[in-house]
Amino acid sequence: MKTYMRRTRIIFAVVILFSILLTVLSIFLPMQNEIEMNTLTYFNLFAETKAHAFNEAINKNIQASKSLSSRSAIRDKSVDYLNGTITFDELVDFTTSKYLDGVGVIENLLYAVRVVDHQAVVEYYAAASVVSNLPDYSAYTELTGFYSMDGAVESFEVISPIISGNMIVGYDLVGFSLARPVAALNNDPTVHFALSPAREYGDRLKPFDNLYEDGTTVYYSQPVNESYDIVVSESKASLFSELQALTIRSITFLIIGYLAMLLLIYLFVVSYARRKISDLSLARDKFKKHADIDELTGAYSRHFLSNYINAHPNESGTLIIIDLDNFKMINDEYGHVVGDAVLKTTASIIQNSIRSDDLSIRYGGDEFLIILRQDTQNNGTDVMDRIKIQLSSQNQFAFSIDFSYGIAVFDSMLNISSYIEQADKLMYQNKHKKY
């Protein structure tokens, strides 16, 4: 009997060990790999969202520089000076106050210098210690941006030619601090966002194009030019902390459960691991939706537009770019809460004025992009009329809401950026006619 019991215990122990080993190899490890892949997918989407927000801040700096250089009154005075009809002192007197008024509304500005005929007409510096790192501006014929770092301080500097007709009459040299946008993107204590000099970040994590790892850290890297990268990083200990805790708990329950009943532990591991996979999948879907939908207005985001272009490269139609008139004045006079309400109302009216399969996209701060799919007849004017009627009939605000717009018919999503630029120019022409 003792021999039989001893053999039974040995056989039972071997069965338990074999069952545990079999369960670990066939169930636990594959599910652990799936959870790790979901974690990396979530991190990749999260990092893409941060990179998108950073690029939006850079686009805002570029638009501010364009706006500064496109002011017609002081540009025309520069032409008068170059033609010899006014003196340089007269150019300075006319330009200074108007230029500084325009500079005063630009966020995160480090400096702005208006140069005509190699002479500084107006100079603004946020602090005495601010210096420009720009190369010789005279070699540039179109707006060009440069990233730079002074210690740990990131900045974005712009050379913006001032163009009258086909002639460059001067330059705006503009520098922006990226400290606030970068700080805003570092709102998670476990995830670090930075603009970093380009380098190797370790081995690429397949199948992801932008994820890398070294011994301790996972990196998301997106080049912004030849010299700098957007880098989002998180330590492996933090990123996979839930996975590590899950591993420890699962092994413990596995051993204890098999001592009681092999079937119960099998069901528990499968159920528990699937719940964790489902939670991570839901989190991934949540951040994907966050990246595709503008949180304030409910319209699609520029991130969605980028993905849509890749998915529908040969689609044609009509695009309309809308820019609200005097939106800054609304924010200044009535406050940002009212300004946000204006954006929400405008987005809602736009959505109600287009077909269900057309696209409404928040393209910038107070800019919206409408894409009328499969519309090559340029029905954009009819849509604009409907939007104007609905906006003029709203009585939610103590003021009227007006906008300027430009329309372009496009034959391919692959070339849509040039059509957006075309519509944008028409929109600014319409706006200038009003003011």
Side-chain angles (χ1 to χ4, degrees):
M1 179 63 71
K2 290 182 179 179
T3 303
Y4 174 79
M5 290 298 297
R6 185 169 61 252
R7 290 179 178 176
T8 301
R9 292 190 188 100
I10 292 172
I11 294 173
F12 184 70
V14 170
V15 170
I16 289 177
L17 291 175
F18 179 77
S19 299
I20 292 174
L21 180 61
L22 182 62
T23 302
V24 168
L25 293 177
S26 64
I27 298 174
F28 183 76
L29 289 181
M31 288 189 176
Q32 186 182 42
N33 292 335
E34 180 69 16
I35 293 170
E36 182 175 343
M37 186 59 64
N38 275 276
T39 301
L40 291 172
T41 301
Y42 158 78
F43 177 75
N44 188 59
L45 286 170
F46 183 61
E48 282 183 351
T49 301
K50 286 184 176 288
H52 174 70
F54 180 80
N55 288 327
E56 284 291 317
I58 295 300
N59 287 334
K60 188 175 182 180
N61 294 158
I62 292 173
Q63 294 303 319
S65 302
K66 286 183 177 179
S67 177
L68 196 61
S69 299
S70 64
R71 301 183 67 183
S72 57
I74 55 179
R75 178 192 61 204
D76 293 344
K77 279 295 178 181
S78 299
V79 176
D80 292 342
Y81 166 70
L82 294 174
N83 290 335
T85 57
I86 63 171
T87 67
F88 185 75
D89 288 339
E90 289 174 323
L91 174 63
V92 171
D93 290 341
F94 181 85
T95 302
T96 300
S97 62
K98 295 178 175 59
Y99 190 79
L100 293 178
D101 286 343
V103 164
V105 301
I106 300 177
E107 298 179 355
N108 303 318
L109 188 68
L110 288 174
Y111 68 86
V113 180
R114 170 62 63 93
V115 178
V116 176
D117 196 22
H118 301 284
Q119 301 180 81
V121 179
V122 186
E123 296 181 275
Y124 166 84
Y125 292 91
S129 59
V130 173
V131 295
S132 169
N133 297 303
L134 289 172
D136 179 16
Y137 57 83
S138 61
Y140 294 87
T141 59
E142 59 184 25
L143 187 145
T144 308
F146 302 86
Y147 295 90
S148 61
M149 297 182 66
D150 184 4
V153 178
E154 304 93 342
S155 61
F156 181 69
E157 299 177 88
V158 176
I159 297 175
S160 179
I162 306 163
I163 300 174
S164 177
N166 295 320
M167 180 176 65
I168 296 177
V169 300
Y171 292 87
D172 283 316
L173 313 179
V174 192
F176 302 89
S177 170
L178 299 179
R180 288 177 61 187
V182 170
L185 293 170
N186 276 307
N187 56 352
D188 188 326
T190 64
V191 181
H192 181 66
F193 177 94
L195 180 68
S196 176
R199 63 178 180 85
E200 295 292 331
Y201 296 97
D203 298 325
R204 187 168 74 87
L205 283 168
K206 297 180 180 179
F208 302 97
D209 293 331
N210 295 80
L211 291 190
Y212 303 85
E213 67 167 348
D214 58 20
T216 60
T217 308
V218 175
Y219 301 90
Y220 170 91
S221 173
Q222 181 187 105
V224 294
N225 59 21
E226 295 180 353
S227 302
Y228 290 96
D229 297 332
I230 292 172
V231 179
V232 182
S233 59
E234 185 172 359
S235 69
K236 290 182 179 179
S238 170
L239 183 61
F240 297 114
S241 60
E242 186 176 351
L243 179 59
Q244 292 168 353
L246 173 63
T247 301
I248 294 172
R249 289 196 302 268
S250 297
I251 291 176
T252 301
F253 286 132
L254 185 66
I255 294 173
I256 295 174
Y258 260 112
L259 293 175
M261 187 181 296
L262 296 178
L263 179 60
L264 289 179
I265 190 61
Y266 172 80
L267 294 176
F268 176 80
V269 170
V270 172
S271 174
Y272 188 72
R274 282 178 178 170
R275 284 203 307 272
K276 289 299 180 180
I277 292 173
S278 177
D279 290 344
L280 288 171
S281 297
L282 289 173
R284 176 193 62 193
D285 294 342
K286 174 184 176 183
F287 274 91
K288 185 178 186 303
K289 181 179 179 182
H290 178 73
D292 286 345
I293 301 298
D294 178 66
E295 185 175 354
L296 175 64
T297 64
Y300 287 120
S301 67
R302 290 182 70 162
H303 179 270
F304 170 84
L305 176 61
S306 177
N307 290 336
Y308 188 86
I309 291 171
N310 293 332
H312 304 79
N314 299 316
E315 187 169 292
S316 60
T318 299
L319 68 86
I320 309 166
I321 192 161
I322 297 175
D323 184 84
L324 296 182
D325 295 337
N326 300 315
F327 185 69
K328 181 183 181 301
M329 183 193 71
I330 293 173
N331 274 332
D332 291 343
E333 185 170 345
Y334 297 95
H336 287 278
V337 172
V338 174
D340 288 350
V342 168
L343 292 175
K344 292 178 184 177
T345 298
T346 303
S348 176
I349 288 175
I350 290 174
Q351 189 59 52
N352 291 335
S353 301
I354 60 179
R355 299 171 302 184
S356 60
D357 58 345
D358 293 332
L359 305 179
S360 171
I361 299 161
R362 187 180 181 192
Y363 196 65
D366 60 337
E367 285 188 335
F368 293 88
L369 178 66
I370 299 173
I371 295 180
L372 305 179
R373 299 179 60 199
Q374 310 300 331
D375 174 20
T376 58
Q377 303 302 316
N378 193 1
N379 294 312
T381 303
D382 296 337
V383 173
M384 289 296 96
D385 290 341
R386 291 198 295 271
I387 294 173
K388 278 186 175 291
I389 291 172
Q390 291 193 51
L391 278 177
S392 63
S393 62
Q394 66 82 27
N395 57 8
Q396 180 180 353
F397 307 104
F399 52 84
S400 60
I401 303 172
D402 200 3
F403 59 84
S404 301
Y405 66 90
I407 302 176
V409 178
F410 63 92
D411 57 5
S412 170
M413 279 286 182
L414 292 177
N415 302 321
I416 198 167
S417 59
S418 62
Y419 292 104
I420 291 175
E421 183 176 353
Q422 175 185 333
D424 192 57
K425 289 180 181 179
L426 292 173
M427 180 269 292
Y428 276 105
Q429 291 175 5
N430 291 335
K431 189 180 290 287
H432 289 322
K433 290 178 182 178
K434 295 180 182 180
Y435 303 102

